[in-house]
Each structure stands twice: as structure tokens, then as C-alpha cells.
Amino acid sequence: MARKLLLVLLSLVAVKMTAQEHNSHFSLGFNYGFGSEFNNRNYTFTSHFYKVQLYCKVKETKHFQYEILIQPEVNFAEHQLLNFYFVKPETPNYQQKRDEYTRLKDIREYVLNCGFLVRKPIGKVYSFYVLGSIGPMITDTETERMSKGFAFADVLALGFAAGYDNFRFDIRPSVRHVSNAGLGSSNAGYNTKNIEFGISYQL
């Protein structure tokens, strides 16, 4: 009986170690961030957002680590047209649209960004990284700069991370461009500078 219990215990330990080894390349995290447009006289755009982060380390060399990152995101934004001349007189119903677009608007954006990250470890605790990502997005509000519906979000970020046990804490400044690649009638898009803070756990 004792031998059977020992075999079962050893089997469970082996399964757990195999699972840990198999999952060691994956981390799951959560980020919160906020941002605003670059200095611009035509419009205002401020936002705060929440991201779920799934990291997968695909390669590691002596000096660098390479990771793929999947980021579902919800963005809560406010936008207002300041320069009503942005809506030109040749636009159909331009006066009505000027009145509509110059009102402050609440915008919701739903994004699925896919990114590639290059990380440079600094000792055993700290690291710097560069991240580029792009992904499809749905926006729920039409503005003078972008049509309602389908669009894309592009992000370029630099980050600093500190690890503790299986946890990693992130600070990530970034720049973001949103547009619909000409798929909608309005495609000027938004350009914002952002900062986000995150925590992840190695699975």
C-alpha cells in the first residue's frame, strides 16, 4: 500500500513538473493605461484603457528574449472637434456635421492587438524591451476623424520590467495610431501618447 501511494505521489510530482516545464514560456497579465493626443489645435482625445496580456516566449539567446504578445483591450475615450473648419463646406450637410462633431463625445474601442516583443534582461531582476503591435478594432462612435465600425490600432512601445518570483511588474510608455486604412469614409484617425502599468504572472 505504501509503495502504491509513493508511486502515485511520484507520478503527480512528475506530471506537475512536466506541466510547469511545458508552461514556463507563457505569462498572463493585466495592464491599465491612459493617454492623450499629441499637441493639436484641431481636436482633443483622452482615454484610459484595460488590457489582458498573454505572453509567449518563442526564443531566448545569450543577450535577448523574443516574445509574442496577444492583448485584448477595452478603451474608454473622450473626443471633441475644436477646429470646425476641419469639416469642409463641400461635405454634405456640413453645417449640421460641424454642430454634431464639435460636441464632446464618449467613445468605446474594442481591440485585439498582436505584438512582437524583444526583451533585454538586466541581471536576474530587471529588463528593458521594445514592443510593436497591430490589431483589428471596433469603435462605437463616428467622428469627423474616423467612421464608426472597423479599424486598426498600431502601437510602438518601450518598456521597463522588474521581476519577483513568478511575478513581473511593467511600466510601458507608448505611441498609438488608430485608423481604418481607408475602409470608411473618414480616416484621419488619432495619434496619442500613452503610459501603462501592468503585472503578469509566469504560468
Side-chain angles (χ1 to χ4, degrees):
M1 184 67 178
R3 183 178 297 178
K4 289 183 179 179
L5 288 174
L6 180 60
L7 286 174
V8 170
L9 181 60
L10 289 174
S11 298
L12 290 173
V13 170
V15 168
K16 184 175 181 181
M17 290 179 64
T18 302
Q20 285 179 341
E21 182 178 353
H22 178 72
N23 292 327
S24 62
H25 293 292
F26 292 90
S27 297
L28 184 64
F30 177 81
N31 277 29
Y32 169 76
F34 53 89
S36 62
E37 83 288 346
F38 290 90
N39 291 336
N40 193 306
R41 294 180 298 174
N42 291 322
Y43 71 96
T44 65
F45 187 95
T46 59
S47 67
H48 66 277
F49 50 88
Y50 303 88
K51 294 180 179 180
V52 175
Q53 310 264 100
L54 177 61
Y55 300 84
C56 176
K57 184 166 63 176
V58 294
K59 186 177 180 181
E60 184 171 2
T61 65
K62 184 177 179 180
H63 299 291
F64 296 98
Q65 297 173 359
Y66 303 89
E67 301 172 33
I68 293 173
L69 180 58
I70 307 298
Q71 307 173 95
E73 172 186 345
V74 180
N75 194 331
F76 301 87
E78 287 188 344
H79 166 75
Q80 185 173 20
L81 174 64
L82 299 179
N83 178 12
F84 64 82
Y85 289 112
F86 188 88
V87 182
K88 296 180 171 50
E90 54 266 29
T91 303
N93 302 318
Y94 79 96
Q95 192 60 58
Q96 177 184 346
K97 293 198 173 196
R98 282 179 174 178
D99 294 340
E100 177 186 350
Y101 291 151
T102 50
R103 290 195 294 268
L104 183 66
K105 295 181 178 295
D106 291 321
I107 302 173
R108 300 291 179 268
E109 299 173 345
Y110 307 94
V111 192
L112 180 60
N113 264 359
C114 301
F116 184 72
L117 185 153
V118 179
R119 187 183 302 276
K120 170 62 176 173
I122 308 295
K124 294 184 178 181
V125 175
Y126 304 105
S127 65
F128 291 96
Y129 61 86
V130 178
L131 166 65
S133 67
I134 184 171
M137 180 185 90
I138 298 295
T139 178
D140 71 351
T141 304
E142 179 180 350
T143 72
E144 82 288 350
R145 302 191 65 82
M146 201 164 69
S147 301
K148 177 181 177 180
F150 189 78
F152 295 95
D154 310 322
V155 178
L156 181 62
L158 297 174
F160 174 76
Y164 178 76
D165 287 341
N166 287 339
F167 290 95
R168 188 164 58 200
F169 303 89
D170 271 277
I171 298 176
R172 182 188 300 170
S174 65
V175 292
R176 179 178 187 253
H177 172 71
V178 172
S179 64
N180 58 37
L183 299 176
S185 57
S186 299
N187 188 38
Y190 309 104
N191 297 297
T192 58
K193 56 186 184 298
N194 311 281
I195 183 79
E196 52 190 283
F197 305 91
I199 182 172
S200 61
Y201 180 79
Q202 185 176 12
L203 300 176

